[in-house]
Amino acid sequence: MQPPESSYRTTSHRLVTNRDAAPPDAWVRAENAVLGACLDAEMTIELAVYPRLLKQGAPSVAAVFGQLDRVEGRALRGDPPVVHARPTDRKRLLGALSVSATDEVPLWRSQGIYRIAVVDGDEWRYYSVPRKAAIRAVDGPGDDLKAAIRAVIAEIPCTALFPHGALASWTVNDVGIEITTEGLWLGRSGGESRWYPHEKLEGVVADEAACELLLSWPTRRDDAASSLGRLVSGLLDRRRESPPRLLHPPDASTLETAITAYELVADRLCYDFEARRQSNVANGLSGLRR
């Protein structure tokens, strides 16, 4: 079995929670829901844990993990002690991993649980490093498991299962353009890149007749309190490279994929921008739901 830490970057899907907008416990609820769905599908779970941190921060949780079998991990290698949970351990495992909805996620849950991997025969299906928000990889889940995961996370705020990598991408001259769940990447062939996060975005309009995306971003002038401040801010905006306000996808299909990506990201991850179309074209959703 190829260890997840060396292969998660090329996996098929990502479990994404917008932690800036979601309640503190949302990512834990989402992860536990996925683990439950995998156990229901007769898979097993490996957890690399720090026993001392668990004993200090959550003795009852440490006691639960102490009852699980200590194993040489198949998916998790070279980690702290690894324990093994089977479908019959579902109730006590998920009970131990849950946290209060009213508290910040405690240190034992984000740090004491070092890594998690779901093992399905000779493959891994889910891999998480709780202290790293970006690492929630789901690989080759199959239609049944994928549907089960989407069903159990449907009620969790600001959370969704997305295809791994860019949701839409194209190239204009020497600039590669990628729309991801977190933002817009512009990368030149020489290696220079620019990153514009979605939380800064104010709106996106797809002009289907012109095959263009119009993006609205705040400027320093928007926050300036005086005419002098607006003048200085305007000069600074012009001297610095501002976010792109117009993107030109190469064809109607790419434009549809791009605006669908923005619609899904805004809706499912609770970003505060509006994505809309100049005319109503009701297709293209299936490409992002694969």
Side-chain angles (χ1 to χ4, degrees):
M1 181 185 300
Q2 188 176 16
E5 62 267 23
S6 64
S7 57
Y8 77 89
R9 292 181 180 86
T10 58
T11 52
S12 61
H13 292 78
R14 292 177 60 205
L15 179 67
V16 184
T17 298
N18 182 357
R19 298 195 187 186
D20 290 333
D25 68 318
W27 71 266
V28 176
R29 290 170 54 198
E31 177 157 275
N32 291 354
V34 171
L35 297 179
C38 291
L39 289 171
D40 290 342
E42 298 298 317
M43 300 177 190
T44 58
I45 299 174
E46 294 180 2
L47 303 100
V49 301
Y50 289 117
R52 182 178 298 178
L53 196 156
L54 291 179
K55 288 178 182 177
Q56 291 174 346
S60 61
V61 175
V64 170
F65 284 115
Q67 296 168 3
L68 299 176
D69 292 336
R70 180 89 53 102
V71 297
E72 293 292 331
R74 297 182 61 213
L76 302 180
R77 305 170 187 173
D79 287 309
V82 175
V83 295
H84 185 261
R86 299 176 176 83
T88 53
D89 300 312
R90 186 189 196 281
K91 184 176 181 179
R92 61 176 173 172
L93 175 68
L94 297 185
L97 290 176
S98 64
V99 299
S100 170
T102 59
D103 297 333
E104 292 293 324
V105 174
L107 188 65
W108 70 261
R109 183 59 178 86
S110 60
Q111 303 286 334
I113 311 297
Y114 180 56
R115 294 185 187 183
I116 302 173
V118 172
V119 177
D120 178 19
D122 292 329
E123 304 290 340
W124 64 267
R125 290 288 172 251
Y126 178 71
Y127 174 62
S128 165
V129 181
R131 71 185 188 281
K132 296 184 179 180
I135 304 180
R136 301 282 188 281
V138 180
D139 194 34
D143 291 341
D144 289 344
L145 181 59
K146 186 164 53 177
I149 290 174
R150 285 187 165 138
V152 296
I153 65 173
E155 300 303 317
I156 299 173
C158 312
T159 297
L161 183 70
F162 280 95
H164 186 89
L167 304 180
S169 62
W170 66 93
T171 301
V172 177
N173 297 326
D174 67 336
V175 179
I177 299 166
E178 293 188 354
I179 301 167
T180 73
T181 56
E182 292 86 7
L184 174 68
W185 281 98
L186 303 182
R188 297 188 181 277
S189 57
E192 180 185 1
S193 63
R194 298 282 180 178
W195 163 248
Y196 305 102
H198 288 321
E199 57 260 27
K200 298 293 186 181
L201 187 59
E202 295 182 334
V204 183
V205 177
D207 184 339
E208 293 164 325
C211 199
E212 294 177 340
L213 284 169
L214 292 81
L215 285 71
S216 300
W217 308 88
T219 66
R220 294 176 188 84
R221 289 171 59 89
D222 296 332
D223 298 326
S226 66
S227 57
L228 178 59
R230 288 190 291 272
L231 174 61
V232 173
S233 295
L235 292 173
L236 288 173
D237 280 336
R238 285 194 289 273
R239 293 189 63 181
R240 291 189 177 185
E241 186 167 341
S242 298
R245 299 184 180 272
L246 194 63
L247 297 176
H248 294 275
D251 50 48
S253 176
T254 306
L255 176 70
E256 172 64 22
T257 300
I259 190 59
T260 298
Y262 278 120
E263 289 171 340
L264 293 176
V265 163
D267 176 53
R268 298 181 184 178
L269 297 183
C270 308
Y271 284 109
D272 192 22
F273 67 83
E274 179 186 14
R276 60 186 179 87
R277 304 157 189 253
Q278 295 283 54
S279 62
N280 185 23
V281 178
N283 55 50
L285 292 176
S286 60
L288 289 179
R289 290 176 177 156
R290 288 196 297 271

